[in-house]
Amino acid sequence: MTTAQPLRVGMVGYAFMGAAHSHAWRTAPRFFDLPLQPQLTAVAGRNAEGVRAAADKLGWDSVETDWRRLIERDDIDLIDICTPGNTHAEIAIAALEAGKHVLCEKPLANSVEEAERMTLAADTAAKNGIFSMCGFSYRRTPALALAKRFVDQGRLGEIRHIRAQYLQDWLTDANAPMTWRLDKSKSGSGSLGDIGAHSIDAAQWVTGLNISGVSAMLETFVRERPLAGDLVGLGGHGDLSSDAPRGEVTVDDAAIFSAKFDGGTSAGAIGVFEATRYALGRKNAMRLEVNGTQGSLAFDFEDMNVLSFYDAAESPDAGFRRIFITEPEHPYVGNWWPTGHGLGYEHGFTHQVVDLVTAIGEGRQPEPSFADALQVQRVLAAVESSAANSSQWQKV
């Protein structure tokens, strides 16, 4: 039995991300020693029947059908936002002003202006010991965390190239049904913000360098989709009957951009980014490669328990070596299984909870902060601006 003070969580949203976050809140204190004890106090959703079923399935003690009730409750310490991007700013700012800690899914908002307001609210709240974090969960993948450790140790030397891809294929069926992810008013952008934001954050975090300018292209391959149909995972099967209504896709399907990085001693670093949900055969290929003057590293989430590393001084003729990330000295791994037993997608969310709760318990700002997420938002905006202006160079 733990004697730690409780951290009572209220979550908004209960679909894909809500399920992942619920699993993390339940699991984290069972494998890690935390300064506070997370409690799944309440979950909110607009559909009373749906949110009640989700609460029963995911382990929440109570439900609300209005997120405002969560914020009003005295038995809630933290608000976890797992809703589409168009709701993030209103919920997060209200929660922070009410003295609740906040975990907000990425991207932080649907615009730079919203993200700036959220960051201002977060900075103000932090002065009173109320903290916030944006959920870029791939930072918590042990192999990527080890990659950052290598960069911080100087093992790559001066960074020259950053190469990032995020490739999926769940939208390749042109008749898959419309979802909120394809509606710009709800999602803010398509592949760019949904998955490209992860690549931007990972590249900046691992290297310690910020993107300072971009030249970009965006493309929408399928401009209309069935409004009705059967959802399967993120995609599914649209209603193709002759009288079935169709809706306009208002986001990008694919994003490609080149980037210039500033920061540290590697002010000349350049990068190439690609994000698409149309790469047939690629299920969740979130890839990052970094080349420096002394070494290189490469990561692919479809082989998430491996980091490929090349040390020019150690073995100049041997090429990359594969490091299997299951040793207790690797980030996070020592709290899980014996050596040789890999981790999965869900563990990143558990590690996210661990880092967030630990920071709150120690009274310090968790990372990535809303300010970090604002930097990503500014890159997203610059990419859209460049693409809308014939790929002209756009400063961030």
Side-chain angles (χ1 to χ4, degrees), residues 133-309:
M133 188 174 84
C134 189
F136 284 106
S137 58
Y138 286 105
R139 286 191 180 202
R140 274 74 190 194
T141 305
L144 267 184
L146 183 63
K148 177 173 175 57
R149 181 185 293 176
F150 283 175
V151 172
D152 291 346
Q153 291 171 343
R155 298 182 68 177
L156 270 67
E158 205 171 320
I159 305 301
R160 297 294 192 222
H161 291 283
I162 295 131
R163 203 165 292 110
Q165 294 177 311
Y166 203 143
L167 313 176
Q168 297 177 336
D169 71 355
W170 60 272
L171 270 181
T172 50
D173 179 358
N175 289 308
M178 281 285 293
T179 74
W180 68 266
R181 285 182 167 82
L182 305 178
D183 181 349
K184 188 174 179 64
S185 68
K186 294 183 175 65
S187 63
S189 63
S191 291
L192 174 62
D194 185 25
I195 54 179
H198 276 302
S199 293
I200 294 166
D201 180 71
Q204 294 187 143
W205 176 67
V206 168
T207 64
L209 308 176
N210 281 338
I211 295 173
S212 60
V214 300
S215 174
M217 291 189 297
L218 300 178
E219 186 57 64
T220 302
F221 301 119
V222 177
R223 299 188 177 273
E224 284 189 343
R225 288 184 176 273
L227 289 176
D230 298 322
L231 286 174
V232 180
L234 295 174
H237 311 288
D239 183 351
L240 302 182
S241 56
S242 59
D243 58 346
R246 299 181 72 87
E248 181 185 4
V249 175
T250 53
V251 300
D252 59 281
D253 286 329
I256 298 177
F257 65 94
S258 55
K260 178 79 170 178
F261 287 77
D262 284 343
T265 60
S266 304
I270 57 175
V272 180
F273 290 75
E274 179 183 12
T276 180
R277 300 181 290 208
Y278 279 73
L280 266 173
R282 299 300 179 192
K283 302 305 178 182
N284 204 42
M286 189 273 197
R287 299 167 168 176
L288 180 68
E289 181 168 329
V290 182
N291 308 127
T293 56
Q294 298 177 26
S296 296
L297 56 84
F299 168 78
D300 185 340
F301 193 78
E302 289 189 344
D303 196 8
M304 65 169 290
N305 290 297
V306 170
L307 178 67
S308 295
F309 179 61

Side-chain angles (χ1 to χ4, degrees), residues 1-5 24 26-38 332 334-336 350-351 353-362 364:
M1 296 294 291
T2 180
T3 58
Q5 179 181 343
R26 292 195 312 269
T27 306
R30 290 167 172 78
F31 286 84
F32 293 80
D33 293 327
L34 302 179
L36 302 169
Q37 177 69 18
Y332 304 106
N335 286 73
W336 293 103
T350 301
H351 303 154
V353 164
V354 170
D355 290 345
L356 173 60
V357 174
T358 300
I360 291 173
E362 294 176 354
R364 57 178 173 83

Side-chain angles (χ1 to χ4, degrees), residues 71-156:
I71 294 175
E72 292 170 356
R73 287 176 55 161
D74 293 333
D75 62 343
I76 299 291
D77 303 309
L78 182 147
I79 299 295
D80 184 358
I81 304 171
C82 299
T83 54
N86 63 315
T87 65
H88 289 184
E90 184 180 11
I91 299 172
I93 292 171
L96 290 167
E97 290 179 345
K100 314 289 188 186
H101 305 292
V102 172
L103 170 61
C104 182
E105 259 302 322
K106 61 80 227 163
L108 187 61
N110 278 6
S111 70
V112 170
E113 185 275 332
E114 287 180 341
E116 287 174 339
R117 290 194 289 114
M118 294 171 73
T119 301
L120 178 60
D123 291 345
T124 300
K127 295 175 183 176
N128 297 315
I130 302 300
F131 298 109
S132 53
M133 188 174 84
C134 189
F136 284 106
S137 58
Y138 286 105
R139 286 191 180 202
R140 274 74 190 194
T141 305
L144 267 184
L146 183 63
K148 177 173 175 57
R149 181 185 293 176
F150 283 175
V151 172
D152 291 346
Q153 291 171 343
R155 298 182 68 177
L156 270 67

Side-chain angles (χ1 to χ4, degrees), residues 310-323:
Y310 174 74
D311 187 324
E314 181 180 279
S315 52
D317 299 325
F320 280 89
R321 64 183 176 93
R322 285 166 53 89
I323 305 172

